Amino acid sequence: MSVSIDIKSLTFEELLSQFQAWDQPAYRASQLLEWLYVHRVASWDAMSNLPKALRDRLRHHYSHHVLELVRKQGSRDTTQKFLWKLSDQSLIESVLIPASPALYGEPSDRHTLCVSTQVGCAYGCKFCASGLDGWKRNLGVEEIIEQVMAVERWHAAEDPTRQNPQSKSDTTVPHADSSSPHATLPRLINNLVIMGMGEPLANYDNLMRALEILNAPWGGGIGARKMTISTSGLAPQIRKLADEPLQFRLAISLHGATDEVRSRIMPVNRKYPLHELTSACEFYQIKKGRMITLEYILIAGVNDSLDQVKPLAELAHRLNAKVNLIPYNNVDGLDWERPSEDVQERFAAALVNSKVTATLRREKGHDIDAACGQLRLKTEKERRQE
Ligand code: SAH
Ligand code: SF4
């Protein structure tokens, strides 16, 4: 992590006041933001319409870190997984998922990016690869934002024609300042799921600032309704999230509908048991008027028996939530397994019979270690063996 503030962690207002202090006209701040969020340049020197003296001053005051791609799995038009190296050599993952009606947004979504928020995870859910090596640190604001920019930078480099505006239906990124001519570029990613490595609500302030910048018209231009935050259930932070001005979607990693089952696989349930979690979710749901999604991984012999259906349906009804059933992705070194398709389908059907809106997700990218933390774990192991 760098000592100086990174340029991508600043808001437009902060940048403007810095530029004012430097006697720079406001349009220079807009030009800078356009280089960062429309052209996604990787260096100060690429910002060719900024005077050299200003570029030098910026370089002196701020860092401008970009993620380094160390490994990529998957092919174009399928789920692709990116392993990034940060400036302190830590590794994080992002997953790019092409449009799918069954995912979090609408079918018209172009691409969803699954974003990490921490290096490792402190919550130690028993089935998850991200927590296996423990928690190392929070990601900085710019490291969260950079995952979007770095994937788009990589995508544009793969096919330079994508640098140009395409059809009218493309999501476009408006220019930072309405008094300037509008430069637009198609934004590849228009849907974010904060479901990569780490517990997002344990890195609350950095995440909120990153999402604010990714949402801002002068920044990422991605709608807050297209951002889904997934949490293992930090009840106090869920209440705090209900007071945020932006309308994020909320997904709860439930995975157990009784305290007995949930505590067995998710230690966080001992701190915030189901009654606390559900009352925080109710608060969120009432305050925001938004539907919550309950994530439920089906793990063979752990939470897939039909006696979990009733308590799960009760919870879903109480929270007016839909349920996303996800067949467990096997993790190297862990003994948990996904149930047979028969069992998965029986569980889903029983939920639907109980009048719950439920989908059974055919996990995309099962073959490329798409579940969070797995590619990093594999690479860390290989590094240790070298
Ligand atoms: N820490 C947050 C967000 C990251 S985990 C959370 O727990 O919600 C994103 C999702 O992936 C969670 O629902 C998590 O339970 C799930 N997950 C973790 N390991 C998995 C695996 N091996 N197979 C399927 N889903 C997994
Ligand atoms: Fe952390 Fe989420 Fe994995 Fe649990 S499921 S260990 S909270 S990343």
Side-chain angles (χ1 to χ4, degrees):
M1 219 172 2
S2 66
V3 219
S4 57
I5 294 175
D6 195 278
I7 193 70
K8 277 210 278 298
S9 67
L10 298 187
T11 63
F12 190 25
E13 292 70 32
E14 287 166 341
L15 206 57
L16 270 182
S17 75
Q18 175 69 88
F19 275 37
Q20 264 160 15
W22 287 348
D23 282 331
Q24 289 289 333
Y27 73 88
R28 291 285 185 216
S30 301
Q31 286 175 323
L32 172 59
L33 289 169
E34 189 174 323
W35 285 116
L36 294 177
Y37 298 112
V38 180
H39 303 294
R40 319 162 195 107
V41 295
S43 75
W44 296 110
D45 289 330
M47 303 179 183
S48 52
N49 63 357
L50 297 186
K52 177 145 189 330
L54 176 59
R55 273 184 270 152
D56 288 343
R57 198 164 199 186
L58 284 162
R59 196 190 329 258
H60 183 71
H61 274 80
Y62 300 102
S63 57
H64 177 207
H65 282 302
V66 295
L67 300 180
E68 186 190 329
L69 184 63
V70 280
R71 203 162 169 179
K72 193 181 82 66
Q73 284 183 327
S75 53
R76 189 187 289 184
D77 305 323
T78 64
T79 299
Q80 294 178 84
K81 188 152 193 168
F82 299 79
L83 186 73
W84 308 109
K85 186 152 69 180
L86 308 178
S87 50
D88 68 350
Q89 312 298 310
S90 295
L91 299 174
I92 57 160
E93 299 173 14
S94 319
V95 183
L96 183 65
I97 309 154
S100 155
L103 268 159
Y104 296 86
E106 292 82 43
S108 62
D109 287 341
R110 284 153 48 82
H111 282 84
T112 295
L113 189 71
C114 175
V115 172
S116 292
T117 52
Q118 299 184 310
V119 181
C121 183
Y123 286 82
C125 302
K126 301 277 194 285
F127 48 80
C128 176
S130 290
L132 278 182
D133 275 350
W135 176 86
K136 193 164 167 198
R137 68 171 173 88
N138 281 336
L139 294 191
V141 175
E142 70 285 357
E143 291 168 328
I144 298 173
I145 296 173
E146 243 297 291
Q147 294 173 62
V148 176
M149 299 306 143
V151 167
E152 293 194 340
R153 195 180 296 128
W154 165 85
H155 192 258
E158 282 271 285
D159 179 357
T161 60
R162 289 180 171 134
Q163 285 287 7
N164 301 316
Q166 296 163 336
S167 71
K168 283 204 176 80
S169 63
D170 284 329
T171 306
T172 50
V173 187
H175 193 280
D177 182 343
S178 54
S179 63
S180 319
H182 273 232
T184 54
L185 273 186
R187 176 120 275 155
L188 172 74
I189 293 157
N190 68 345
N191 213 18
L192 291 183
V193 293
I194 318 302
M195 294 191 179
M197 198 190 308
E199 168 48 54
L201 297 187
N203 186 11
Y204 193 92
D205 292 345
N206 287 352
L207 176 68
M208 284 306 119
R209 181 177 268 252
L211 295 185
E212 185 196 330
I213 293 172
L214 283 168
N215 169 254
W218 49 261
I222 302 173
R225 289 181 164 82
K226 302 278 189 161
M227 300 176 176
T228 302
I229 301 175
S230 174
T231 176
S232 60
L234 308 197
Q237 283 89 333
I238 291 171
R239 289 174 182 274
K240 206 165 153 194
L241 194 65
D243 291 327
E244 295 291 339
L246 292 177
Q247 293 280 40
F248 305 115
R249 291 169 191 254
L250 180 63
I252 306 292
S253 294
L254 194 68
H255 312 329
T258 59
D259 280 321
E260 199 251 318
V261 171
R262 196 165 191 264
S263 293
R264 190 145 36 106
I265 49 180
M266 301 181 72
V268 67
N269 195 65
R270 297 200 191 105
K271 191 156 185 203
Y272 305 115
L274 281 172
H275 71 271
E276 255 180 71
L277 175 57
T278 41
S279 83
C281 289
E282 261 177 335
F283 180 78
Y284 184 90
Q285 207 270 325
I286 290 164
K287 189 99 196 251
K288 289 291 198 203
R290 299 196 59 76
M291 196 181 230
I292 291 175
T293 304
L294 300 176
E295 305 281 331
Y296 196 96
I297 313 176
L298 286 165
I299 311 176
V302 174
N303 63 0
D304 62 342
S305 73
L306 291 178
D307 59 10
Q308 283 288 299
V309 172
K310 191 161 173 267
L312 179 54
E314 278 168 10
L315 268 179
H317 287 309
R318 187 170 147 200
L319 296 174
N320 186 25
K322 59 178 178 183
V323 175
N324 225 351
L325 297 171
I326 306 151
Y328 181 64
N329 255 316
N330 295 357
V331 174
D332 260 2
L334 294 180
D335 287 338
W336 316 93
E337 276 178 14
R338 63 166 58 180
S340 69
E341 290 195 3
D342 268 5
V343 170
Q344 296 171 25
E345 267 147 30
R346 223 176 308 140
F347 195 95
L351 261 187
V352 173
N353 272 340
S354 316
K355 309 235 170 335
V356 173
T357 311
T359 51
L360 174 61
R361 189 153 108 209
R362 291 265 148 256
E363 188 66 55
K364 285 200 169 201
H366 182 49
D367 51 338
I368 59 154
D369 306 328
C372 62
Q374 294 202 57
L375 184 59
R376 166 182 174 258
L377 200 70
K378 193 148 105 187
T379 309
E380 293 277 17
K381 271 188 195 152
E382 286 166 9
R383 269 184 174 179
R384 285 198 285 265
Q385 280 158 11
E386 270 161 19

